Amino acid sequence: MRHPLRAVLLAIGLVLAAIGPALAVQPGERLQDPALEARARALSAEIRCMVCQNQSIDDSDAQLAKDLRVLVRERLSAGDDDDAVRDFLVARYGEFVLLKPRFEGHTLILWLAAPVLVAVGALASFLAWRRRARVAADGRLSAEEEAALARVLSEDQRGMP
């Protein structure tokens, strides 16, 4: 009887999580021009909410996110292009406001660290595998290992009836 209740609660939770971002942009914030509104929504999806930090301002219902959504729409209505709006927000809040940082000199480590670490891990795994394969292929015991094995086997045979 518990399992159907869990399934219902999980379904309700998933529905609420799915509609949460849809409630972030209020009807009063939307622009009349559908093309401008589409640009505003696309830009809002790229801008980090400074309160929530792992959400875009398009998904967040924080007051600062609302203020930033309104600011983005005001700048677009004033005739700014998308890059000008991004530049304005970066100048005001820093590079952190962008969910996807720009590929520049000071953000180079953000872009290159993950691929370099994956490559180093893959190389280390390959070298460990190759070393293990070489030892397994050789299959011979050293003189010390053979002596130790002979000693264990002779002790084992003496102890058996």
Side-chain angles (χ1 to χ4, degrees):
M1 190 164 235
R2 287 176 150 175
H3 298 292
L5 180 60
R6 282 189 207 169
V8 169
L9 291 175
L10 180 63
I12 290 171
L14 289 173
V15 167
L16 290 175
I19 65 170
L23 300 175
V25 177
Q26 301 299 317
E29 296 175 27
R30 294 191 176 110
L31 297 171
Q32 297 299 322
D33 182 6
L36 273 180
E37 179 60 26
R39 284 179 53 206
R41 292 300 294 258
L43 273 171
S44 294
E46 298 174 11
I47 307 299
R48 181 186 313 274
C49 173
M50 302 305 279
V51 175
C52 307
Q53 294 194 2
N54 285 331
Q55 282 185 322
S56 69
I57 62 171
D58 200 44
D59 296 335
S60 175
D61 59 355
Q63 184 61 41
L64 179 61
K66 178 183 185 279
D67 294 343
L68 287 174
R69 286 192 303 266
V70 169
L71 177 67
V72 165
R73 283 165 174 77
E74 286 173 358
R75 302 291 297 200
L76 289 174
S77 295
D80 286 358
D81 65 353
D82 295 357
D83 289 332
V85 174
R86 276 189 216 95
D87 291 341
F88 175 80
L89 291 171
V90 167
R92 195 169 192 184
Y93 296 101
E95 191 80 25
F96 185 71
V97 78
L98 299 176
L99 281 171
K100 183 179 176 185
R102 299 172 183 168
F103 191 76
E104 295 176 353
H106 64 282
T107 60
L108 197 60
I109 193 164
L110 292 173
W111 288 98
L112 298 180
V116 166
L117 288 175
V118 167
V120 167
L123 179 64
S125 297
F126 173 73
L127 293 175
W129 171 78
R130 194 173 73 172
R131 185 175 345 117
R132 187 171 291 160
R134 190 178 320 130
V135 169
D138 186 14
R140 289 178 283 167
L141 298 176
S142 67
E144 283 180 10
E145 291 170 331
E146 285 184 19
L149 180 61
R151 190 173 48 253
V152 169
L153 288 175
S154 67
E155 289 173 5
D156 191 38
Q157 286 177 354
R158 276 185 266 165
M160 291 184 68

